[in-house]
Amino acid sequence: MIRSLVLLFTHVVGVLALFVGLGLEWIGLDGIQRSTTRAEALPWLRLIAIVPRLFGTALAAIVVSGFYLGARVGVLGNDWMRASYGALLLMAIVSGPVSRSPMRALKRVADVPADGTVALRAAAANPILRLSLRIRIAFGLAIVFLMIAKPAARESLLVLALASMVTIATSLARRTTPSTAVQGYR
């Protein structure tokens, strides 16, 4: 019983850490875009640099404790769990391979003092970074809903479809023109 409580606590803390990491990334990207000098942008970049380690730790805590708890209760093969696995995989792909290149480009621009703030702000305004963030937030919330509601297959897929539609809608509503991309996230 104590082990299950510790693992449940670890699972919940992992989920909280995941959302803290998403918030830090959002705040960091916004901070870079609001910066007027390179010196103002550098602390925001250091904040963003913490996020991958936080995500890795959070994801490990979520998956390890979740698998143990799911096996103990006997829900690993349930439809809502399968939908959650798919959503976690999508979040990992979007967080890693998809956004890795724009994030590295942002860090490379920060390493070149001569590029100035305009290039740094433009790199932080990369639409892939914002889309990646929106996808991870929407699917993270969808997974939390699936864990609470434990719906059947059809409803689980509907929840993930709604998360996709919310991501698309917010991406279209927040689309910036090239001239406003450097001014900030609107």
Side-chain angles (χ1 to χ4, degrees):
M1 166 129 167
I2 296 291
R3 184 184 330 198
S4 293
L5 286 174
V6 168
L7 288 168
L8 180 60
F9 180 75
T10 303
H11 195 68
V12 171
V13 169
V15 172
L16 292 172
L18 180 76
F19 282 102
V20 165
L22 291 169
L24 291 176
E25 185 175 338
W26 189 314
I27 290 168
L29 289 172
D30 280 351
I32 292 168
Q33 288 182 329
R34 285 190 318 269
S35 298
T36 56
T37 66
R38 183 176 178 279
E40 285 179 18
L42 291 179
W44 298 113
L45 274 165
R46 283 192 288 276
L47 182 67
I48 290 174
I50 296 169
V51 172
R53 286 187 299 261
L54 183 60
F55 279 152
T57 305
L59 197 57
I62 292 167
V63 170
V64 170
S65 62
F67 270 116
Y68 177 83
L69 292 168
R72 185 165 172 97
V73 178
V75 297
L76 286 179
N78 287 9
D79 296 331
W80 58 273
M81 284 293 290
R82 289 182 179 156
S84 296
Y85 301 148
L88 273 174
L89 180 62
L90 177 70
M91 288 174 68
I93 290 169
V94 168
S95 179
V98 172
S99 64
R100 186 175 295 131
S101 179
M103 193 59 76
R104 284 183 180 160
L106 174 63
K107 290 175 184 173
R108 273 193 305 272
V109 169
D111 290 339
V112 181
D115 281 350
T117 310
V118 173
L120 197 55
R121 289 167 63 186
N126 186 319
I128 298 284
L129 293 175
R130 291 296 178 171
L131 180 61
S132 167
L133 191 57
R134 286 187 188 104
I135 288 170
R136 288 179 283 144
I137 290 170
F139 279 88
L141 291 172
I143 292 170
V144 169
F145 179 80
L146 292 173
M147 296 291 144
I148 293 169
K150 299 173 179 39
R154 186 178 302 173
E155 291 85 6
S156 296
L157 292 176
L158 179 63
V159 167
L160 296 181
L162 285 171
S164 298
M165 288 188 279
V166 165
T167 301
I168 291 167
T170 57
S171 294
L172 292 175
R174 299 282 187 178
R175 181 162 245 146
T176 59
T177 62
S179 63
T180 61
V182 175
Q183 292 173 355
Y185 179 67
R186 302 211 189 288

